[in-house]
Amino acid sequence: MLEKQINTYRTILLALFFFLVCLGFIGFNAQTPELVAVGVIMAGLFQGLINTLLTTIAMEIPDIERSVASSSYSFIRFFGGAIAPFVAGKLAEIWNSSVTFYFAAFMVLIGLVFVIIHSQYFATEEEYEII
């Protein structure tokens, strides 16, 4: 619904921003399991939205075959998922569990900056038809 009301680009920006806020919230409250649970549930909502929109965009890149776009996107996504537990464990081991969430929030902030810089790539086919 958001995508149709405010377009894909703005929806991704909002979702990334609120995901970043959720990660900061979890980091700040890492010692309170109930608040961590609330933060994880809220973060999951935004992460699911981001994943859906980025998958849609990846599948609609005009000059790339769907199989290449899909495999490239999946590689990046699963590579991040593969190294994240190791990195998070090391950060928690060296500092504390809060740092892992702050680091994740920082990575999302970098992603948000990249989305802003490359905004021309974040429109879906339906939006191109309107333009």
Side-chain angles (χ1 to χ4, degrees):
M1 292 186 305
L2 277 173
E3 182 184 18
K4 289 181 180 168
Q5 288 181 350
I6 63 171
N7 81 26
T8 305
Y9 174 68
R10 288 188 186 118
T11 304
I12 289 174
L13 288 180
L14 281 173
L16 283 169
F17 173 77
F18 285 114
F19 186 52
L20 186 146
V21 169
C22 288
L23 290 169
F25 175 81
I26 296 167
F28 187 75
N29 296 293
Q31 307 309 316
T32 311
E34 298 83 9
L35 293 177
V36 170
V38 169
V40 167
I41 291 167
M42 293 304 298
L45 170 77
F46 297 113
Q47 187 176 21
L49 181 59
I50 293 163
N51 184 51
T52 300
L53 294 172
L54 290 179
T55 301
T56 300
I57 290 167
M59 295 300 101
E60 293 180 356
I61 297 172
D63 299 334
I64 300 176
E65 290 181 38
R66 284 179 64 94
S67 61
V68 173
S70 176
S71 61
S72 300
Y73 176 69
S74 292
F75 172 77
I76 296 296
R77 193 172 61 169
F78 291 123
F79 180 73
I83 65 169
F86 175 77
V87 172
K90 287 296 178 187
L91 290 173
E93 186 180 295
I94 295 169
W95 288 287
N96 62 50
S97 58
S98 293
V99 173
T100 62
F101 295 102
Y102 295 142
F103 180 75
F106 180 68
M107 293 292 106
V108 172
L109 179 63
I110 291 172
L112 189 59
V113 169
F114 274 97
V115 169
I116 292 169
I117 291 170
H118 300 288
S119 61
Q120 71 272 19
Y121 299 112
F122 291 89
T124 60
E125 287 179 2
E126 293 86 16
E127 292 166 355
Y128 284 124
E129 291 169 5
I130 295 171
I131 298 175

